[in-house]
Amino acid sequence: MAVTSIWRVNGWLGKVVVYVENPDKTTNPEFYGKSSEQGSADLEDVIAYAINSKKTELPSEEADTLERFVSGVNCHPATARTEMMAVKKHFGKEDGTIAYHGYQSFAPGEASPEIAHQIGVELARRLWGERYQVVVATHLDKANHLHNHFVLNTVSFVDGKKYYRSAQDYRRMQSISDALCREYGLSVIQNPRPGKGKHYGEWRAEQEQRPTWRGIVRSDIDEVIRQSMTERQFFENLHRKGYEVKVGKDISVRPPGKERFVRLARNYGEGYTLESIRKRILEQTRTPKALPEPVPKIKHYRLSGNWQSRKKVTGFRALYFHYCYLLGVFPRQRKQNHKRLHFLLREDLIKLDAITQEARLLAVHRIDTAEQLSCYQRDLEKQVNAVILQRRQLYRKQRTVAVKSDEAAKQEICASIASLSQELSKLRREVRLCSDIAQRSGMLPERIQKVREDEIKQRKEKTEHDQFRRCGRADR
């Protein structure tokens, strides 16, 4: 039995290729003894996850060399990215969707790595072999999760026409996969139910066990179900959290700050239909499980200096410090109940490490304006170019006869190159942080304003609700 899917990838083709060829994925000590320690040179780069040698390699029984479960259809895996880009450049089609990334996952224990890889290569040949370049890699990193990855170039090497994935392509991929499973004696899913595919970024987040905004929505729905005693109370509690709700054949909710609605049953399964939610509410104990109210603590602070002589933080630093405060990062002693935060703030908790690093850079270098940020970034880029030039000179020196014949000099140059590479990595990281700050600083004021507006709206609605309840009691 094999499950298949394929989705588009926008951006840089190398990211796809590096992800698929990831050496961490294509070898498995559970199957074939100790894995290779050799990793991909650039793990940020998707032809690598699939060609990761630690996920696709196994020790050969006949030799000490390693056999890789990575194959190319109309290209060689080692030069796949270059070959794919050459086809794109030849036909002048380097923009738009750069590749399609697919997978074929097998039932636990049903196929051996050799059989899984053979099926994957044959599937790629039957689907795309006449017109497109494809990299196929079998990941062996989990004993109960054998699966193939495919990286498909969108531009045909035959006539330059771009591949377009349609619903019919989904069905054809699954149909040919089922036929191959039957040929190799594997089981096939009978009467498969169509499901909703995930966005690539969401799929990657789930693979890496990182939270997603859809996961936050699901957590909110579960929390509201636990706190409700009736169906009406369920919808009222959702509304108080800032969600918009539409009820038809499926319940659709829109989180605060998001443009689109999420269909509960379609995205989260049968447990989130209207009937299932009613049943879950009735099966609970008769008292709603409300969150405990936080007990306020009296805090004492000692100030040094005076208000007149203080230097007020402004600009980017003030913006980031205020946002970190809203997220519950400042002050450190403050216990923040993340479930009570606005949806947009909880979504940014996923990016808390990045936001913290950006805030730290602004604080250390006292950057408050876009001009200061741009100036600092230009200085970093100059340092990057200088280090690259210095490292390039050492590489040239390393290849000279004099250095090759002198082991001590060779080791000294290698140590210098390693030191420069570390420095280069640090500088490039700061350059990326500067670019991220420039982008995020334009978004944060809008988010803060949206959070304030929604909080004011919720307080107003709560006040009106309380007044209505008091009037109702008075009438009795």
Side-chain angles (χ1 to χ4, degrees), residues 378-393 420 423-424 427:
R378 284 197 299 271
D379 290 342
L380 287 174
E381 288 169 349
K382 289 179 183 177
Q383 293 178 49
V384 167
N385 293 331
V387 173
I388 289 175
L389 181 61
Q390 191 177 352
R391 189 175 65 170
R392 191 176 296 156
Q393 292 171 348
L420 287 174
E423 183 182 353
L424 188 60
L427 289 170

mmCIF file of all heavy atoms in Angstrom, residues 378-393 420 423-424 427:
data_model
loop_
_atom_site.group_PDB
_atom_site.id
_atom_site.type_symbol
_atom_site.label_atom_id
_atom_site.label_comp_id
_atom_site.label_asym_id
_atom_site.label_seq_id
_atom_site.Cartn_x
_atom_site.Cartn_y
_atom_site.Cartn_z
ATOM 1 N N ARG A 378 24.851 47.546 5.212
ATOM 2 C CA ARG A 378 25.872 47.764 4.185
ATOM 3 C C ARG A 378 27.272 47.475 4.731
ATOM 4 O O ARG A 378 28.112 46.891 4.040
ATOM 5 C CB ARG A 378 25.801 49.208 3.661
ATOM 6 C CG ARG A 378 24.648 49.457 2.699
ATOM 7 C CD ARG A 378 24.871 50.744 1.901
ATOM 8 N NE ARG A 378 24.949 51.906 2.775
ATOM 9 C CZ ARG A 378 23.911 52.634 3.154
ATOM 10 N NH1 ARG A 378 22.685 52.309 2.741
ATOM 11 N NH2 ARG A 378 24.063 53.675 3.938
ATOM 12 N N ASP A 379 27.522 47.884 5.984
ATOM 13 C CA ASP A 379 28.827 47.593 6.602
ATOM 14 C C ASP A 379 29.036 46.084 6.721
ATOM 15 O O ASP A 379 30.145 45.583 6.476
ATOM 16 C CB ASP A 379 28.909 48.235 7.986
ATOM 17 C CG ASP A 379 29.005 49.755 7.911
ATOM 18 O OD1 ASP A 379 29.348 50.260 6.828
ATOM 19 O OD2 ASP A 379 28.724 50.427 8.930
ATOM 20 N N LEU A 380 27.976 45.370 7.106
ATOM 21 C CA LEU A 380 28.080 43.910 7.213
ATOM 22 C C LEU A 380 28.387 43.271 5.855
ATOM 23 O O LEU A 380 29.223 42.363 5.760
ATOM 24 C CB LEU A 380 26.768 43.327 7.763
ATOM 25 C CG LEU A 380 26.464 43.548 9.232
ATOM 26 C CD1 LEU A 380 25.063 43.031 9.565
ATOM 27 C CD2 LEU A 380 27.485 42.827 10.116
ATOM 28 N N GLU A 381 27.717 43.765 4.818
ATOM 29 C CA GLU A 381 27.925 43.199 3.477
ATOM 30 C C GLU A 381 29.349 43.455 2.994
ATOM 31 O O GLU A 381 29.940 42.612 2.308
ATOM 32 C CB GLU A 381 26.903 43.789 2.507
ATOM 33 C CG GLU A 381 25.486 43.257 2.753
ATOM 34 C CD GLU A 381 24.421 44.022 1.989
ATOM 35 O OE1 GLU A 381 24.750 45.096 1.420
ATOM 36 O OE2 GLU A 381 23.269 43.548 1.956
ATOM 37 N N LYS A 382 29.917 44.623 3.337
ATOM 38 C CA LYS A 382 31.315 44.885 3.000
ATOM 39 C C LYS A 382 32.238 43.906 3.719
ATOM 40 O O LYS A 382 33.202 43.398 3.130
ATOM 41 C CB LYS A 382 31.680 46.323 3.380
ATOM 42 C CG LYS A 382 31.050 47.382 2.482
ATOM 43 C CD LYS A 382 31.438 48.779 2.952
ATOM 44 C CE LYS A 382 30.746 49.845 2.094
ATOM 45 N NZ LYS A 382 31.060 51.218 2.580
ATOM 46 N N GLN A 383 31.934 43.645 5.005
ATOM 47 C CA GLN A 383 32.742 42.676 5.754
ATOM 48 C C GLN A 383 32.617 41.285 5.154
ATOM 49 O O GLN A 383 33.600 40.541 5.072
ATOM 50 C CB GLN A 383 32.292 42.652 7.221
ATOM 51 C CG GLN A 383 32.575 43.927 7.985
ATOM 52 C CD GLN A 383 32.063 43.863 9.412
ATOM 53 O OE1 GLN A 383 32.326 42.892 10.124
ATOM 54 N NE2 GLN A 383 31.318 44.879 9.827
ATOM 55 N N VAL A 384 31.405 40.922 4.718
ATOM 56 C CA VAL A 384 31.195 39.616 4.089
ATOM 57 C C VAL A 384 32.060 39.483 2.844
ATOM 58 O O VAL A 384 32.745 38.470 2.639
ATOM 59 C CB VAL A 384 29.698 39.422 3.723
ATOM 60 C CG1 VAL A 384 29.528 38.224 2.786
ATOM 61 C CG2 VAL A 384 28.869 39.204 4.978
ATOM 62 N N ASN A 385 32.058 40.499 1.991
ATOM 63 C CA ASN A 385 32.860 40.463 0.762
ATOM 64 C C ASN A 385 34.350 40.384 1.068
ATOM 65 O O ASN A 385 35.100 39.674 0.370
ATOM 66 C CB ASN A 385 32.567 41.695 -0.096
ATOM 67 C CG ASN A 385 31.146 41.692 -0.644
ATOM 68 O OD1 ASN A 385 30.563 40.630 -0.856
ATOM 69 N ND2 ASN A 385 30.585 42.866 -0.879
ATOM 70 N N ALA A 386 34.783 41.107 2.122
ATOM 71 C CA ALA A 386 36.206 41.080 2.493
ATOM 72 C C ALA A 386 36.616 39.693 2.978
ATOM 73 O O ALA A 386 37.691 39.186 2.620
ATOM 74 C CB ALA A 386 36.474 42.129 3.581
ATOM 75 N N VAL A 387 35.765 39.054 3.798
ATOM 76 C CA VAL A 387 36.071 37.718 4.314
ATOM 77 C C VAL A 387 36.066 36.694 3.182
ATOM 78 O O VAL A 387 36.905 35.790 3.127
ATOM 79 C CB VAL A 387 35.064 37.321 5.413
ATOM 80 C CG1 VAL A 387 35.272 35.860 5.837
ATOM 81 C CG2 VAL A 387 35.215 38.222 6.625
ATOM 82 N N ILE A 388 35.106 36.819 2.246
ATOM 83 C CA ILE A 388 35.056 35.904 1.099
ATOM 84 C C ILE A 388 36.341 36.002 0.275
ATOM 85 O O ILE A 388 36.923 34.995 -0.138
ATOM 86 C CB ILE A 388 33.827 36.212 0.218
ATOM 87 C CG1 ILE A 388 32.539 35.786 0.937
ATOM 88 C CG2 ILE A 388 33.921 35.497 -1.129
ATOM 89 C CD1 ILE A 388 31.268 36.166 0.201
ATOM 90 N N LEU A 389 36.799 37.250 0.025
ATOM 91 C CA LEU A 389 38.033 37.465 -0.728
ATOM 92 C C LEU A 389 39.231 36.862 -0.002
ATOM 93 O O LEU A 389 40.085 36.199 -0.621
ATOM 94 C CB LEU A 389 38.235 38.966 -0.946
ATOM 95 C CG LEU A 389 39.473 39.377 -1.745
ATOM 96 C CD1 LEU A 389 39.414 38.802 -3.147
ATOM 97 C CD2 LEU A 389 39.605 40.893 -1.788
ATOM 98 N N GLN A 390 39.284 37.063 1.314
ATOM 99 C CA GLN A 390 40.385 36.529 2.108
ATOM 100 C C GLN A 390 40.380 34.999 2.082
ATOM 101 O O GLN A 390 41.442 34.364 1.946
ATOM 102 C CB GLN A 390 40.262 37.042 3.548
ATOM 103 C CG GLN A 390 41.482 36.774 4.420
ATOM 104 C CD GLN A 390 41.315 37.386 5.807
ATOM 105 O OE1 GLN A 390 40.364 38.123 6.063
ATOM 106 N NE2 GLN A 390 42.246 37.061 6.695
ATOM 107 N N ARG A 391 39.194 34.404 2.204
ATOM 108 C CA ARG A 391 39.095 32.944 2.185
ATOM 109 C C ARG A 391 39.452 32.395 0.800
ATOM 110 O O ARG A 391 40.083 31.343 0.685
ATOM 111 C CB ARG A 391 37.687 32.508 2.581
ATOM 112 C CG ARG A 391 37.548 31.012 2.794
ATOM 113 C CD ARG A 391 36.178 30.624 3.301
ATOM 114 N NE ARG A 391 35.134 30.908 2.319
ATOM 115 C CZ ARG A 391 33.865 30.475 2.454
ATOM 116 N NH1 ARG A 391 33.515 29.773 3.518
ATOM 117 N NH2 ARG A 391 32.968 30.777 1.541
ATOM 118 N N ARG A 392 39.058 33.113 -0.267
ATOM 119 C CA ARG A 392 39.365 32.683 -1.629
ATOM 120 C C ARG A 392 40.877 32.641 -1.858
ATOM 121 O O ARG A 392 41.415 31.732 -2.501
ATOM 122 C CB ARG A 392 38.684 33.628 -2.610
ATOM 123 C CG ARG A 392 38.707 33.155 -4.049
ATOM 124 C CD ARG A 392 37.923 34.128 -4.912
ATOM 125 N NE ARG A 392 36.518 34.150 -4.533
ATOM 126 C CZ ARG A 392 35.701 35.164 -4.764
ATOM 127 N NH1 ARG A 392 36.177 36.262 -5.366
ATOM 128 N NH2 ARG A 392 34.437 35.101 -4.424
ATOM 129 N N GLN A 393 41.583 33.640 -1.312
ATOM 130 C CA GLN A 393 43.046 33.669 -1.435
ATOM 131 C C GLN A 393 43.685 32.480 -0.726
ATOM 132 O O GLN A 393 44.660 31.893 -1.216
ATOM 133 C CB GLN A 393 43.584 34.980 -0.867
ATOM 134 C CG GLN A 393 43.209 36.209 -1.694
ATOM 135 C CD GLN A 393 43.571 37.510 -1.007
ATOM 136 O OE1 GLN A 393 43.898 37.529 0.189
ATOM 137 N NE2 GLN A 393 43.495 38.620 -1.749
ATOM 138 N N LEU A 420 37.574 31.530 9.170
ATOM 139 C CA LEU A 420 36.918 32.512 8.310
ATOM 140 C C LEU A 420 35.508 32.068 7.939
ATOM 141 O O LEU A 420 34.592 32.904 7.837
ATOM 142 C CB LEU A 420 37.737 32.713 7.034
ATOM 143 C CG LEU A 420 39.052 33.496 7.194
ATOM 144 C CD1 LEU A 420 39.836 33.492 5.898
ATOM 145 C CD2 LEU A 420 38.780 34.929 7.641
ATOM 146 N N GLU A 423 33.268 32.917 10.805
ATOM 147 C CA GLU A 423 33.025 34.355 10.828
ATOM 148 C C GLU A 423 32.046 34.758 9.726
ATOM 149 O O GLU A 423 31.144 35.572 9.934
ATOM 150 C CB GLU A 423 34.350 35.102 10.643
ATOM 151 C CG GLU A 423 34.221 36.616 10.725
ATOM 152 C CD GLU A 423 35.544 37.318 10.495
ATOM 153 O OE1 GLU A 423 36.580 36.626 10.394
ATOM 154 O OE2 GLU A 423 35.531 38.566 10.398
ATOM 155 N N LEU A 424 32.200 34.142 8.552
ATOM 156 C CA LEU A 424 31.320 34.432 7.417
ATOM 157 C C LEU A 424 29.889 34.018 7.717
ATOM 158 O O LEU A 424 28.930 34.730 7.395
ATOM 159 C CB LEU A 424 31.834 33.694 6.180
ATOM 160 C CG LEU A 424 31.166 34.020 4.839
ATOM 161 C CD1 LEU A 424 31.337 35.489 4.505
ATOM 162 C CD2 LEU A 424 31.748 33.143 3.745
ATOM 163 N N LEU A 427 28.363 36.612 10.048
ATOM 164 C CA LEU A 427 28.064 37.866 9.350
ATOM 165 C C LEU A 427 26.826 37.719 8.465
ATOM 166 O O LEU A 427 25.959 38.590 8.427
ATOM 167 C CB LEU A 427 29.264 38.287 8.504
ATOM 168 C CG LEU A 427 30.498 38.787 9.264
ATOM 169 C CD1 LEU A 427 31.682 38.937 8.328
ATOM 170 C CD2 LEU A 427 30.206 40.105 9.968
#
